[in-house]
Amino acid sequence: MPIDLTPTDRFANRHIGPSPEEIRQMLGALGASTLDDLIDQAVPDSIRLGRALDLPEARTERQLLLDAAALADQNEVFRSYIGMGYSGTVTPPPIQRNILENPSWYTQYTPYQAEIAQGRLEALLNFQTMLIDLTGLEIANASLLDEGTAAAEAMMMVRRVVKKKTADTFFVSEACHPQTIEVVKTRAVPMGVNVVVGDHRDFTFDDSVFGALIQYPTSDGGILDYAAFCEAAHANKALVVAAADLLSLTLLTPPGEFGADVAVGNTQRFGVPMGFGGPHAAYFATRAKYKRQVPGRMIGVSVDRDGNQALRMALQTREQHIRRDKATSNICTAQVLLSIMASMYGVYHGPNGLTAIATRVHDLTKTLAAGLAQQGHSLRFADYFDTLRLDLAELDAEAIRERAEAARINLRYYADGSIGLALDETTTATDLADVLTVFATSDDVPSVADLTAQFESGYAGAFGRTSDFMTHPVFNSYHSETELMRYMHKLSSRDLSLTSSMIALGSCTMKLNAAAELMPVTMTGFNQLHPFAPKAQAKGYYAMFEQLETWLAEITGFAGVSLQPNSGASGEYTGLLTIRAYHEANGDTHRTICLIPDSAHGTNPASAVMAGMK
């Protein structure tokens, strides 16, 4: 036999189950001699490509990881103070190793059958409980896909529950994160919703308005009083959605206490790396009277006649198969793995630990604010949590940008020349000194030690929290690594996953995520990059995107590919919006009917309705 230097440990040999003998048996049962023969029988010539796909040779797992590491090394991870809803965070090692990197948690990821998912359901119940407590609202779901789409889902829920037949307007504060504003506007168009973006202090509610979206704290850091705004909304039978930073709610008055009807946001800073924008688990909390209208799924507790407790999916997105085009949303899953990470972060730190983290972040921020003011710069807001917006003295934004990038620091630059800085759990006193040097207007840079001596620790603004939160024993019992590890293991032992068995539950319920495929998720070059970092710092990511888009276009036969949708249901919706835009471009606005087979997935009719189709 001639020498063959091809690596022997091929991915397919380890991850495609049937052996050659098993394949022969199955082919025999089907009356085919080879796999090619089976394809010839099953796939008509009219839809066959007729040529080999133009794709590179398959790589071994080792080569894949080497190539992934090379791409990660092309990304430059600067210290990020950009904010905009994404924060540096410390993933506790027991959570990284025992949740994110543990196949007992990541192979099955999303629960569809309660009886084989009691462990995950308990972790999700913890997630919901944590959110109910932090937001001051009565119910929460088991997560959504991201903050922007959670805000859009809230807009549509508010429209369903507000009994104002002629109301078609939704107000969005200009102080919201810009990406959230854009998502809400996109989702509103096909539904015939008129989105008005402006200053909430100048907005007047009338009969045309069914709801409003505010940011708390604002995208540029201000802590504002929304109580009168909520009262005005309610007086006009409109509801208010607050997009709120979760860590800040350990120190600030929660949305449910100042009058918000819905709270949405991102749980990323609870131990989930930024990862260039995701995935991260969004949250959605509201009043109990709206529970039948909440998108996504909700975990509840049942008690049998013997008094034994069991967890169930009290609200479950498979309702789409029954309600079809009347479903509340096309969302059919949740960011379960990431929401479990966030919930375990809450369990591990508990209310006191979370408050300590938030207090330290705020203390760093007010120390930095004092130093910047000493240098002559002006703060836009006197009341803030972790984010500052500066009007510069003597320097311009471009000069600051040059200094910052030379120090490998990313800031937020506004069109009017002001600059934003957002601090987080990873920020240190050394970082503050470096930032003050970037903003220095003279050789005399304020000392961080001298600045901290001016203050008492803690938030002393007008909106301090007075209510308790996370008082349940689960958040006050597992604060050592040993205790947390045993708790996580106990929960995983209550689940059926691919580590123990196999169940036939459809395409996306249980699948093998090979260990080699997931290892790049924890590479620093991939998971520590802020999504709004300059493109030049993300060369590895863009090279990977371009590769994947090229390969998918070749496989599907399409001219181009979008990687934007972050779920299958989002992909359907994106495709339908593309079709809608095509007809509008051709002047065929009357073509609004979408044909859907009775056998189609339950998300299909819901996606069609969201795209403005019948």
Side-chain angles (χ1 to χ4, degrees), residues 451-483:
L451 292 169
T452 56
Q454 303 176 22
F455 301 105
E456 290 293 320
S457 177
Y459 174 75
F463 302 98
R465 180 167 192 143
T466 58
S467 55
D468 292 334
F469 59 93
M470 294 170 64
T471 57
H472 190 280
V474 74
F475 300 115
N476 296 279
S477 303
Y478 306 109
H479 298 164
S480 75
E481 181 169 327
T482 303
E483 291 164 338

Side-chain angles (χ1 to χ4, degrees), residues 190-238:
M191 301 301 292
V193 172
N194 174 39
V195 172
V196 174
V197 181
D199 188 332
H200 78 282
R201 292 166 295 190
D202 300 330
F203 184 73
T204 301
F205 286 91
D206 59 33
D207 288 342
S208 70
V209 182
F210 63 84
L213 173 66
I214 53 178
Q215 191 87 41
Y216 181 70
T218 62
S219 186
D220 55 356
I223 300 173
L224 306 182
D225 187 350
Y226 291 116
F229 181 80
C230 292
E231 289 175 7
H234 297 155
N236 283 270
K237 299 181 180 178

Side-chain angles (χ1 to χ4, degrees), residues 150-263:
E153 292 285 350
M155 172 181 69
M156 299 317 299
M157 188 198 83
V158 168
R159 193 186 192 198
R160 288 193 299 272
V161 302
V162 169
K163 306 301 183 185
K164 294 169 71 175
K165 291 184 179 179
T166 59
D168 64 353
T169 298
F170 187 71
F171 172 78
V172 177
S173 168
E174 62 190 9
C176 291
H177 295 314
Q179 68 273 21
T180 299
I181 296 173
E182 292 305 310
V183 172
V184 169
K185 287 163 67 174
T186 297
R187 289 279 290 267
V189 171
M191 301 301 292
V193 172
N194 174 39
V195 172
V196 174
V197 181
D199 188 332
H200 78 282
R201 292 166 295 190
D202 300 330
F203 184 73
T204 301
F205 286 91
D206 59 33
D207 288 342
S208 70
V209 182
F210 63 84
L213 173 66
I214 53 178
Q215 191 87 41
Y216 181 70
T218 62
S219 186
D220 55 356
I223 300 173
L224 306 182
D225 187 350
Y226 291 116
F229 181 80
C230 292
E231 289 175 7
H234 297 155
N236 283 270
K237 299 181 180 178
L239 299 184
V240 177
V241 181
D245 176 87
L246 209 54
L247 187 64
S248 74
L249 300 185
T250 64
L251 303 182
L252 304 181
T253 303
E257 292 181 17
F258 65 65
D261 305 285
V262 186

Side-chain angles (χ1 to χ4, degrees), residues 380-604:
R380 286 281 178 98
F381 301 103
D383 202 350
Y384 50 79
F385 167 59
D386 66 355
T387 300
L388 306 172
R389 184 170 179 177
L390 300 178
D391 292 304
L392 301 174
E394 300 182 27
L395 302 165
D396 61 32
E398 277 309 306
I400 295 294
R401 189 195 298 266
E402 288 179 13
R403 290 184 185 180
E405 292 184 355
R408 297 180 65 84
I409 286 172
N410 285 331
L411 305 170
R412 182 178 179 183
Y413 302 95
Y414 294 89
D416 66 357
S418 60
I419 292 180
L421 305 96
L423 307 190
D424 57 49
E425 182 186 8
T426 68
T427 307
T428 65
T430 301
D431 294 326
L432 294 195
D434 291 343
V435 171
L436 289 170
T437 300
V438 167
F439 282 88
T441 53
S442 69
D443 293 335
D444 185 18
V445 179
S447 160
V448 173
D450 290 343
L451 292 169
T452 56
Q454 303 176 22
F455 301 105
E456 290 293 320
S457 177
Y459 174 75
F463 302 98
R465 180 167 192 143
T466 58
S467 55
D468 292 334
F469 59 93
M470 294 170 64
T471 57
H472 190 280
V474 74
F475 300 115
N476 296 279
S477 303
Y478 306 109
H479 298 164
S480 75
E481 181 169 327
T482 303
E483 291 164 338
L484 182 71
M485 187 170 58
R486 289 172 178 167
Y487 179 60
M488 292 186 292
H489 179 73
K490 179 179 75 173
L491 295 191
S492 68
S493 70
R494 295 175 178 173
D495 272 20
L496 188 69
S497 76
L498 282 175
T499 59
S500 55
S501 182
M502 181 53 160
I503 56 172
L505 252 188
S507 61
C508 64
T509 307
M510 298 179 72
K511 61 172 179 268
L512 174 70
N513 293 293
E517 294 170 330
L518 288 177
M519 287 175 72
V521 171
T522 53
M523 291 179 179
T524 299
F526 287 133
N527 76 4
Q528 296 299 322
L529 203 63
H530 192 286
F532 294 110
K535 187 173 180 179
Q537 295 171 22
K539 291 178 180 176
Y541 261 118
Y542 282 96
M544 184 169 64
F545 297 158
E546 289 164 8
Q547 277 187 350
L548 183 57
E549 287 171 356
T550 300
W551 296 342
L552 290 176
E554 171 67 9
I555 291 167
T556 62
F558 283 108
V561 172
S562 169
L563 303 179
Q564 185 65 29
N566 56 0
S567 75
S570 295
E572 294 170 7
Y573 175 67
T574 303
L576 289 168
L577 286 187
T578 304
I579 292 169
R580 186 178 189 273
Y582 170 80
H583 289 311
E584 287 183 342
N586 291 331
D588 293 333
T589 55
H590 64 286
R591 301 180 72 175
T592 59
I593 294 176
C594 180
L595 300 180
I596 301 173
D598 286 337
S599 60
H601 194 287
T603 62
N604 297 166

